[in-house]
Every structure is written in C-alpha cells, then in structure tokens.
Amino acid sequence: MNIINQIAIDIDVVMKNDPAARNRTEVFFLYPHIQALINHRIAHWLYENKKYFLARLLSNFARWTTGIEIHPGAKIGKGLFIDHGMGVVIGETAEIGDYVLMYHGVTLGGTGKEKGKRHPTVGNHVIIGAGAKLIGNIHIASGTKVGANAVVLRDTSPDSTVVGIPAREVRRERVMII
C-alpha cells in the first residue's frame, strides 16, 4: 500500500471517530498526528533505504512541529489515530498494527541498551490510554485496552483490559464492533 492510500485511511479513521473533525482538509492540515504520520511514512521509507541521516532529520522536524516523536525505524500499520498526540514517543523497533487508538503522553519504549527488538509490538484494534507506558519487547494482543497511566511490562491476552502500575489484567471480553 502506498503512502497516499495509507494517509487517506488515516484521515478516514479521524472522520469516523472524532466528532470535532469537520472535513478532510481540516484534518489533513491541522491534525498533528496526521502530519506526524506523513513525515513518519516518508522517514520510514528513507530508513528502509538506508538513508538514516535524512530519515532522522525528517523525524526530528516532525517531533519539533507536532510534539509526537516516532523513530523512523518503527513500523506502523494503517489507521493509527493519535488523539491529542503531544508527548507520544514510539521507539525504533516498535510495531503498531492496524486501527490503533492512542492518546497523548503514550510511550512505546525500551528497557535499556539491549540490541535487537527492544520495543513493544501492538496488535490490531488496540486502545492505549493517555500517559500509558508500554516498555520492552512485549506483545500487546489485538483488541487489548490499556488504561490511562498504566505501565505495561508483560504481554497481554487478546480482548483484555489492563490497568495499573505495573499493569494487570482486569477484564477479558470480545467487543463486537459492527
């Protein structure tokens, strides 16, 4: 899927889920997470093509203009919605599935200076509450809801809700969205 199609899907998600979104033009030009994703998708292409300096330069520009820091090595699926994105940090080896909703202040971070995969993998249709910290090479299963300010240090079960410091599972149920 090309960058233009991915961004069109990202905008569609905003139009469907944000009652404040008036039109696609407004979302394209004025939603910081859309600007961050456009920059990330270009920076990721540069990164994949071993243009590391240009990729990091573009990602730093995006951080400066949007307040959202996404390492160009991170892999992001379609339909990511970062609502009120200020302070979001997504590390180099993080992987994010499709149709993830993430609020401000979320960190997908590593635990130290280990090599290789060191950031979380987030499945599809995951909701990550404001201020949540997902740390290390963990897997957040599809359908998981992560509570605000939770600190997630372990894998989650599909369709679960995790809260607390450290996060623990408090509910597991499949929610059917029609």
Side-chain angles (χ1 to χ4, degrees):
M1 179 178 298
N2 67 35
I3 291 173
I4 293 169
N5 290 339
Q6 288 177 322
I7 296 303
I9 290 169
D10 295 334
I11 292 171
D12 288 343
V13 168
V14 174
M15 294 304 297
K16 179 180 176 188
N17 294 301
D18 187 352
R22 291 181 183 84
N23 60 64
R24 297 174 66 77
T25 302
E26 178 182 89
V27 171
F28 179 81
F29 285 107
L30 302 178
Y31 274 58
H33 92 275
I34 295 295
Q35 296 303 310
L37 286 173
I38 290 168
N39 281 287
H40 171 73
R41 295 195 194 287
I42 296 166
H44 184 70
W45 182 87
L46 290 167
Y47 189 85
E48 291 287 305
N49 287 281
K50 302 189 182 341
K51 308 284 189 223
Y52 302 118
F53 180 81
L54 290 175
R56 291 300 300 267
L57 184 66
L58 186 56
S59 70
N60 275 286
F61 172 76
R63 180 184 63 178
W64 181 69
T65 59
T66 67
I68 298 169
E69 181 174 342
I70 307 173
H71 191 285
K75 296 176 182 170
I76 297 177
K78 63 185 177 218
L80 173 62
F81 184 5
I82 306 174
D83 201 5
H84 303 285
M86 185 61 75
V88 166
V89 177
I90 300 172
E92 179 180 20
T93 63
E95 298 177 37
I96 301 173
D98 297 335
Y99 304 106
V100 170
L101 171 59
M102 185 182 297
Y103 289 93
H104 61 279
V106 167
T107 298
L108 303 182
T111 58
K113 295 186 178 197
E114 64 272 7
K115 301 284 185 189
K117 179 82 167 98
R118 60 191 182 281
H119 297 94
T121 298
V122 177
N124 300 326
H125 302 282
V126 171
I127 300 171
I128 306 172
K133 309 301 177 215
L134 288 62
I135 307 296
N137 182 13
I138 59 174
H139 184 262
I140 307 304
S142 292
T144 297
K145 294 184 256 352
V146 178
N149 294 312
V151 177
V152 185
L153 304 171
R154 297 188 315 231
D155 294 353
T156 68
S157 301
D159 304 310
S160 63
T161 300
V162 296
V163 299
I165 304 172
R168 64 186 182 353
E169 186 177 303
V170 294
R171 174 186 285 166
R172 188 180 312 163
E173 70 180 60
R174 177 173 223 100
V175 178
M176 298 301 292
I177 300 173
I178 298 173

